[in-house]
Amino acid sequence: MAGQALVLCEHRPDPQGGWELTARFLHADPATLLDQLERAGVAGRAHPDDLSLQSRSELLFQDDDARHATTLSVTDVHDVQAHAPPDGWGHLHAWAAFMYALDPTGDHTRLIVWFTDH
């Protein structure tokens, strides 16, 4: 698989409020990430209906079709790590740490993931 793996981190500062796009990440090896998501049983989860306006815009205005849409909680990130070799843990640790920095419980952060051809 050529292309990109795009990962957006959304945060909900007010638990009763809407989601906000907080960060954008690219993964250097999309095929490996997709394999890890599939092995962890979390690949292909549809994006939620309540995406932030910024995330909706990212998806709407990209050049390629989004494939393998996935939404991950911080717990899911830890599950994916169990299917990654130790040399692949760095970005997963960083994503989880970023999520915990925004919300120590991890309940009000999520990653919005998709893959493109370019």
Side-chain angles (χ1 to χ4, degrees), residues 2 13 15-16 18 27-29 52 56 60 69 80 89-91 95-96 103 113:
Q16 312 312 316
H27 191 281
D29 188 350
S52 68
R56 284 185 193 283
L60 181 63
V80 172
W89 290 354
H91 67 278
W95 293 346
D103 172 28
V113 181

Side-chain angles (χ1 to χ4, degrees), residues 37-104:
L37 295 174
E38 288 173 345
R39 290 178 39 212
V42 297
R45 292 181 179 169
H47 292 152
D49 292 335
D50 63 346
L51 286 175
S52 68
L53 179 60
Q54 302 96 329
S55 294
R56 284 185 193 283
S57 296
E58 291 269 345
L59 282 161
L60 181 63
F61 291 110
Q62 71 181 12
D63 293 332
D64 295 314
D65 289 336
R67 295 180 291 108
H68 307 291
T70 301
T71 303
L72 302 173
S73 68
V74 72
T75 302
D76 296 329
V77 174
H78 294 299
D79 292 343
V80 172
Q81 181 180 335
H83 297 279
D87 65 348
W89 290 354
H91 67 278
L92 297 168
H93 279 305
W95 293 346
F98 190 83
M99 294 169 81
Y100 283 129
L102 293 170
D103 172 28

Side-chain angles (χ1 to χ4, degrees), residues 2-54:
Q4 294 183 330
L6 298 127
V7 181
L8 304 180
C9 182
E10 290 190 327
H11 175 236
R12 188 171 47 197
D14 174 358
Q16 312 312 316
W19 292 92
E20 298 176 7
L21 176 60
T22 307
R24 292 173 185 83
F25 307 107
L26 289 175
H27 191 281
D29 188 350
T32 297
L33 178 60
L34 181 57
D35 179 62
Q36 292 166 356
L37 295 174
E38 288 173 345
R39 290 178 39 212
V42 297
R45 292 181 179 169
H47 292 152
D49 292 335
D50 63 346
L51 286 175
S52 68
L53 179 60
Q54 302 96 329

